[in-house]
Amino acid sequence: MTPTLIWILVVLVTVGLYLSWTAGRLDRLHARIDAARAALDAQLLRRASVAQELATSGVLDPAASIVLYEAAHAARQAVEEQREVAESELTQALRAVFADAQQVDAVREAPGGEEAALELAEAVRRVPMARRFHNDAVRAARALRLHRKVRWFRLAGHAPFPMAFEMDDEPPAALIERAA
């Protein structure tokens, strides 16, 4: 073999190893997105369930119970295309119901209200973290998928382009302060 042929072979093997490593990295990022999305779905479901349970417990006044129950029910039943909007509406309902500290105090003073308020505050606190983890994984995968080498060599395969989960997840300040 001639030295030129050997160098060409070395370069081809090196490029092949690099592309294989990049495809593996992209696959790991997609797996991370799937895991983060499952965690986000679990936190959103937990928040909606706790809100729905609190709305039906009789601890809140009737108007607040109806608003919170309908928003939580809509969030739990939303189809994937409407999920971000329904979850944002649940966040807005939570902020409306727990706009002032007096409402939180009234819930905490009711029988069983202390545990319900703490559980809701914990669920509300975890949603932004889970969403941030998911969106960070999506951002990393998007950045890698936009590289020329990934597009030219089709290293992403048939995996769908990752989409971030955008919603209003600002927790009600009075609930977080009082439950802490």
Side-chain angles (χ1 to χ4, degrees):
M1 283 227 243
T2 65
T4 307
L5 192 57
I6 291 174
W7 280 111
I8 291 173
L9 196 60
V10 167
V11 167
L12 287 176
V13 168
T14 304
V15 168
L17 287 173
Y18 179 71
L19 291 176
S20 174
W21 175 80
T22 304
R25 181 171 168 228
L26 189 58
D27 187 51
R28 287 188 302 276
L29 283 172
H30 281 283
R32 187 172 134 204
I33 289 171
D34 291 342
R37 182 57 188 241
L40 175 61
D41 286 341
Q43 291 305 320
L44 291 172
L45 182 61
R46 180 171 182 249
R47 180 181 75 154
S49 297
V50 171
Q52 206 169 20
E53 186 178 308
L54 183 62
T56 59
S57 68
V59 176
L60 297 171
D61 62 87
S65 292
I66 291 171
V67 167
L68 194 57
Y69 180 83
E70 286 180 356
H73 181 71
R76 288 183 72 176
Q77 301 299 319
V79 294
E80 192 61 35
E81 295 82 30
Q82 298 296 320
R83 184 96 187 266
E84 293 172 352
V85 173
E87 294 295 345
S88 293
E89 289 173 355
L90 176 56
T91 300
Q92 292 164 2
L94 285 166
R95 279 200 308 260
V97 169
F98 296 107
D100 61 352
Q102 294 169 345
Q103 179 70 21
V104 177
D105 291 338
V107 168
R108 291 179 71 193
E109 291 168 1
E114 180 74 29
E115 295 81 23
L118 287 173
E119 191 174 359
L120 182 60
E122 185 178 325
V124 166
R125 249 189 245 125
R126 289 182 179 196
V127 168
M129 287 187 295
R131 189 177 73 86
R132 205 169 305 122
F133 287 140
H134 176 267
N135 288 350
D136 286 346
V138 166
R139 204 171 299 115
R142 280 180 166 187
L144 186 57
R145 285 183 69 150
L146 292 176
H147 285 198
R148 270 190 229 124
K149 65 182 175 246
V150 174
R151 289 189 320 243
W152 287 352
F153 292 101
R154 300 181 193 269
L155 298 181
H158 297 289
F161 196 75
M163 300 302 292
F165 194 87
E166 297 300 332
M167 64 172 270
D168 178 7
D169 61 2
E170 183 67 32
L175 179 66
I176 300 299
E177 291 170 4
R178 293 284 199 225

